[in-house]
Amino acid sequence: MEKIIQVAKTSAAQAIHPGCGFLSENMEFAELCKQEGIIFIGPPPSAIRDMGIKSTSKSIMAAAGVPVVEGYHGEDQSDQCLKEHARRIGYPVMIKAVRGGGGKGMRIVRSEQEFQEQLESARREAKKSFNDDAMLIEKFVDTPRHVEVQVFGDHHGNAVYLFERDCSVQRRHQKIIEEAPAPGIKSEVRKKLGEAAVRAAKAVNYVGAGTVEFIMDSKHNFCFMEMNTRLQVEHPVTEMITGTDLVEWQLRIAAGEKIPLSQEEITLQGHAFEARIYAEDPSNNFMPVAGPLVHLSTPRADPSTRIETGVRQGDEVSVHYDPMIAKLVVWAADRQAALTKLRYSLRQYNIVGLHTNIDFLLNLSGHPEFEAGNVHTDFIPQHHKQLLLSRKAAAKESLCQAALGLILKEKAMTDTFTLQAHDQFSPFSSSSGRRLNISYTRNMTLKDGKNNVAIAVTYNHDGSYSMQIEDKTFQVLGNLYSEGDCTYLKCSVNGVASKAKLIILENTIYLFSKEGSIEIDIPVPKYLSSVSSQETQGGPLAPMTGTIEKVFVKAGDKVKAGDSLMVMIAMKMEHTIKSPKDGTVKKVFYREGAQANRHTPLVEFEEEESDKRESE
């Protein structure tokens, strides 16, 4: 805080915009700006205080006639008291950090048996994120919808709403895809939601941009959940459907102006989606990943397609920040058209170098239930199997494309060599496979997932290729061309034309097309591949790079499968490492506070008799 105030003074800034991060909802920071005579672009500190402490906000809302969720928001923070209230409210319950936000310090508890462990974990995470481990307990509504309303207030006592957003589809309590307006909501419910949100804002004399979050059941009854006293990450979808610039509004209101439009002048047009593109591995429980963006190309931005990002090709996604790479925002005249546009744009968002959730977002936005607008917060767990499709074998046609890409790339490199060497008779200057009177057949091996695939490639005299995979032969021809910084492969396999973006990096061929993306490896001889990584005596490996927060075991301890061994913190999230099997701990490789790299062993187990027998 002190550093930012210092920068503001040095640069003679009159105001500070706190963004969407932790400082935007920090009352102490807003107070500090006030003391220093700098305008804090946000609500008054009192509104941040009243809405930031969830227990206070609930009682203020109830008094203002806004419906609220049943729960315990009391002073007594003893484990016993919280446990008794959880029993009174009835499981399942949600434990929430009183000063929480962004999914931090939140746990769903489905039975009394797991209450204690979840409470301790939530307290630790809250202490780390907000330096306050006070908790509240709330009834957890199963399969609810998360609907939030954008509100604005000014210094002249006016408040308006800019309709709602549906942010129901979440993983790890964090939003992943948002849309405005909420699908399937009738105009009278929309009006009721907006008016309840304005009552909430007026109850705390709200100024600037804020979001009132509601939990909605399947019958469209809604209850106040919390208010975010800042601009939300997903505000662009509201801008798209209302034709406004909310950051400009924030600046105008902070400068003392009135809200630019009256409630009647704010109209809703069309439909917008935002997809959050994360560096994470959906197949590994959405674990964040760090690494380089070796290749990054995006769809073209236009008035109805926005790309909000802070990275370029060649940048590194580090372990120190949130793993979000970008927000992709699209608008169209109706929901179906917007959804088609979203999928079209996601297919053009191509990243190589680390795992991302792009394919997952494509599966999600193409799911029939999502298309129908049947969204709720359990959507991802409920449709897990269809959303996380296990890797299918690549079509033989795709393998032909990959082989062609590789051959044409080799040819291009040979042509470059010829130009530089000025010796067209050098044996290295030919890669056409030309032979006198006979055609040349070359055997290639490509790797699809774990399987090696043999391809017999015959170089035909007319520059085309015949490729045989197992008992099937394909007639293949094509060429490479460049567009911008990208290389494209235009090809025809048995007369079917296609165009794909081609990237060959180290030993992998990547093809991105309208049909989706494929990854084919070029096998590397054993002696060149890195030493095979064996799990140490079946001990757990670090799922990601991070800091060891707590260690629960020591050498000699007996553990059961599923027991908690240690807690890691990475990318602002807490992860509990559980034992993969029953056994005795031989060695713990890390102390509390140490950094562990991804896939390094954390704990080694004693070799069991059965393991010994197997190895013998």
Side-chain angles (χ1 to χ4, degrees), residues 8 25 68 77 85-86 110 119 126 133 138 155 196 209 211 238 277 304 309 386 428-429 522 549 556 572 583 590:
E25 296 194 81
V68 295
Q77 281 290 313
H85 279 285
R110 299 203 174 268
L119 174 64
D133 63 2
E138 253 174 23
H155 290 287
T211 300
T238 297
I277 294 170
S304 58
T309 186
Q386 299 107 301
F428 302 109
S429 292
I522 305 160
E549 173 74 5
K572 306 196 295 193
Y590 293 94

Side-chain angles (χ1 to χ4, degrees), residues 47-262:
I48 299 179
R49 182 196 62 222
D50 292 346
M51 285 306 194
I53 297 172
K54 292 193 163 85
S55 44
T56 315
S57 67
K58 288 274 154 65
S59 39
I60 294 173
M61 289 304 109
V66 180
V68 295
V69 182
E70 191 190 353
Y72 170 73
H73 318 110
E75 295 293 312
D76 185 345
Q77 281 290 313
S78 67
D79 293 4
Q80 196 48 43
C81 173
L82 293 176
K83 203 173 202 167
E84 276 163 19
H85 279 285
R87 195 177 300 146
R88 174 186 63 80
I89 296 160
Y91 288 95
V93 297
M94 174 84 89
I95 301 177
K96 273 188 189 174
V98 162
R99 284 175 174 266
K104 310 286 182 289
M106 273 170 68
R107 298 288 183 274
I108 296 167
V109 188
R110 299 203 174 268
S111 67
E112 197 160 320
Q113 286 72 43
E114 54 182 63
F115 186 84
Q116 197 60 34
E117 186 180 354
Q118 297 285 20
L119 174 64
E120 284 169 18
S121 176
R123 280 200 201 276
R124 278 196 301 274
E125 205 170 81
K127 190 82 181 143
K128 264 220 140 22
S129 296
F130 318 108
N131 202 20
D132 184 344
D133 63 2
M135 293 289 153
L136 60 86
I137 310 282
E138 253 174 23
K139 178 72 184 161
F140 178 67
V141 183
D142 247 334
T143 62
R145 280 175 73 170
H146 174 123
V147 177
E148 58 186 37
V149 179
Q150 177 70 58
V151 291
F152 253 91
D154 62 21
H155 290 287
H156 308 276
N158 303 308
V160 296
Y161 64 89
L162 291 94
F163 308 108
E164 79 290 345
R165 301 184 280 261
D166 192 301
C167 311
S168 300
V169 179
Q170 306 185 0
R171 50 107 188 87
R172 292 207 313 249
H173 305 306
Q174 283 182 326
K175 302 159 188 171
I176 184 171
I177 200 160
E178 303 101 351
E179 58 182 301
I185 284 181
K186 294 193 170 75
S187 52
E188 49 269 33
V189 177
R190 178 162 294 132
K191 191 166 186 288
K192 268 191 202 156
L193 269 169
E195 286 168 357
V198 167
R199 279 205 299 281
K202 284 189 165 167
V204 289
N205 301 318
Y206 200 81
V207 175
T211 300
V212 184
E213 298 192 349
F214 294 99
I215 203 158
M216 185 181 264
D217 67 16
S218 51
K219 297 187 180 70
H220 295 183
N221 300 314
F222 57 86
C223 283
F224 170 84
M225 192 162 49
E226 61 184 345
M227 181 171 189
N228 287 318
T229 53
R230 57 179 168 87
L231 194 68
Q232 296 272 81
V233 171
E234 60 276 12
H235 74 274
V237 288
T238 297
E239 295 184 328
M240 297 298 249
I241 62 160
T242 54
T244 53
D245 179 338
L246 298 185
V247 178
E248 181 188 333
W249 279 31
Q250 283 187 298
L251 301 178
R252 288 187 179 282
I253 286 163
E257 293 182 24
K258 285 187 173 170
I259 296 170
L261 298 175
S262 70

Side-chain angles (χ1 to χ4, degrees), residues 521-547:
D521 293 320
I522 305 160
V524 181
K526 271 249 174 27
Y527 61 87
L528 287 178
S529 62
S530 57
V531 185
S532 69
S533 56
Q534 284 278 298
E535 273 202 26
T536 58
Q537 297 306 340
L541 306 180
M544 57 204 296
T545 302
T547 309

Side-chain angles (χ1 to χ4, degrees), residues 312-435:
R312 286 188 293 247
Q313 182 168 300
D315 284 355
E316 186 97 17
V317 176
S318 86
V319 296
H320 305 294
Y321 299 99
D322 192 90
M324 194 192 288
I325 294 171
K327 301 185 289 180
L328 171 65
V329 185
V330 300
W331 178 93
D334 58 51
R335 188 174 189 267
Q336 195 48 56
L339 204 46
T340 304
K341 187 162 191 153
L342 176 68
R343 293 201 285 264
Y344 175 76
S345 304
L346 280 168
R347 285 203 181 91
Q348 293 175 293
Y349 218 110
N350 307 142
I351 293 173
V352 172
L354 41 71
H355 283 291
T356 72
N357 64 340
I358 293 173
D359 284 344
F360 179 78
L361 288 166
L362 274 164
N363 293 343
L364 177 61
S365 54
H367 193 284
E369 286 293 298
F370 188 86
E371 280 197 23
N374 299 331
V375 290
H376 51 78
T377 54
D378 279 344
F379 192 92
I380 292 174
Q382 193 175 327
H383 302 294
H384 199 258
K385 279 201 171 65
Q386 299 107 301
L387 296 176
L388 284 167
L389 301 168
S390 52
R391 189 196 157 103
K392 286 207 284 280
K396 292 188 172 114
E397 288 78 358
S398 302
L399 290 161
C400 292
Q401 286 180 349
L404 179 68
L406 192 57
I407 291 166
L408 294 176
K409 203 81 167 178
E410 280 173 4
K411 193 170 171 318
M413 282 162 85
T414 307
D415 293 349
T416 309
F417 171 86
T418 310
L419 283 171
Q420 288 167 351
H422 306 297
D423 177 5
Q424 75 263 37
F425 303 111
S426 158
F428 302 109
S429 292
S430 168
S431 73
S432 65
R434 181 156 298 224
R435 298 286 188 279

